[in-house]
Amino acid sequence: MHIEAREEFARNYSRQRDSLLRLAAVKQRTGLGRTTIYRKIAAGTFPKQVNISVGLVAWYEREIDAWVADPIGWSGEHGAARAD
């Protein structure tokens, strides 16, 4: 298996074990409002939501925790690489 394929497998496996948070929980953990969250997503300074059903979204808990730990230093690239 190539290194890139292994890394992708590890990311996906890790995601399967990660909890999903709905918007209310994300707002509570971050202290941000809905509009601010979506503005930050558009700016690339907040983790992107995941579609879990038609009209239903959630966020990976690890990504939100990483953002809360370092909101200034968080970036989409950093979030994508952080799937251990």
Side-chain angles (χ1 to χ4, degrees):
M1 191 181 268
H2 296 288
I3 292 173
E4 294 164 359
R6 272 190 242 150
E7 290 173 354
E8 181 66 23
F9 175 80
R11 261 194 306 276
N12 290 336
Y13 181 76
S14 177
R15 291 280 169 114
Q16 291 172 0
R17 298 172 55 200
D18 200 0
S19 296
L20 292 171
L21 301 174
R22 296 294 312 277
L23 181 60
V26 172
K27 287 169 51 178
Q28 182 180 20
R29 285 191 186 199
T30 63
L32 301 175
R34 179 185 189 277
T35 302
T36 302
I37 289 170
Y38 283 102
R39 281 186 189 151
K40 288 183 166 293
I41 290 169
T45 59
F46 195 83
K48 290 184 179 181
Q49 72 276 25
V50 179
N51 293 323
I52 56 176
S53 181
V54 175
L56 194 60
V57 299
W59 285 260
Y60 287 109
E61 184 175 28
R62 284 185 192 183
E63 291 186 359
I64 297 304
D65 289 346
W67 186 90
V68 169
D70 188 12
I72 301 295
W74 188 91
S75 72
E77 291 176 12
H78 175 69
R82 180 197 63 261
D84 49 354

